[in-house]
Amino acid sequence: MGLFSKDKPAESFPVAKPEAEWRAELSPEAFRVLRQHGTERPGTSKLLAEKRPGVFACAACGHELFDNATKFESGTGWPSFFRPLPGGIGTTVDRSFFMTRTEVHCAQCGGHLGHVFPDGPAPTGERYCMNGVAMVFQPAG
């Protein structure tokens, strides 16, 4: 299964690599999530407990996605944020599993990060529910 389903047009990103290269660079679980639109099991990400100042970046290309100041405890079992960094992410419509959701991907490499839902806290009312394995944490300083 490729990055996009057959009914989605191919999109180009500034960081593009052949599947074999992504597979060689990423752990099997990160590859499954980032390149094949998988989902990690809830409650398994070490990033859930991350509270230090810093930035969450794409595990595939290092592009900065979310500031830790926008992270909140959603109770879902996945790292959740109420606002991405400017230029950090892109979205597409995801019609898999007999529902319509908004899929979130890295703006630089197109890696699948998770989904955004309209049930987050103020000030945005959005909940960016991200797979921890799709991100790395970069502490401030």
Side-chain angles (χ1 to χ4, degrees), residues 31-73:
F31 180 83
R32 187 181 70 77
V33 171
L34 284 157
R35 308 316 303 172
Q36 298 181 318
H37 289 238
T39 301
E40 68 187 357
R41 286 189 352 261
T44 60
S45 175
K46 64 182 178 184
L47 297 181
L48 278 170
E50 187 56 68
K51 299 190 184 326
R52 296 174 292 169
V55 173
F56 292 84
C58 177
C61 72
H63 185 64
E64 294 183 348
L65 307 166
F66 297 94
D67 188 297
N68 204 10
T70 65
K71 186 172 180 271
F72 69 98
E73 180 50 57

Side-chain angles (χ1 to χ4, degrees), residues 101-132:
R101 302 178 291 174
T102 302
E103 184 254 346
V104 177
H105 60 266
C106 172
Q108 289 296 304
C109 73
H112 172 74
L113 302 169
H115 293 87
V116 60
F117 302 95
D119 60 1
T124 65
E126 296 177 319
R127 173 175 53 96
Y128 289 83
C129 191
M130 302 293 99
N131 288 283

Side-chain angles (χ1 to χ4, degrees), residues 2 14 23 26 34 49 74-75 78 83 127 131:
R23 195 177 290 276
L26 300 169
L34 284 157
S74 66
W78 289 281
R83 178 185 298 124
R127 173 175 53 96
N131 288 283

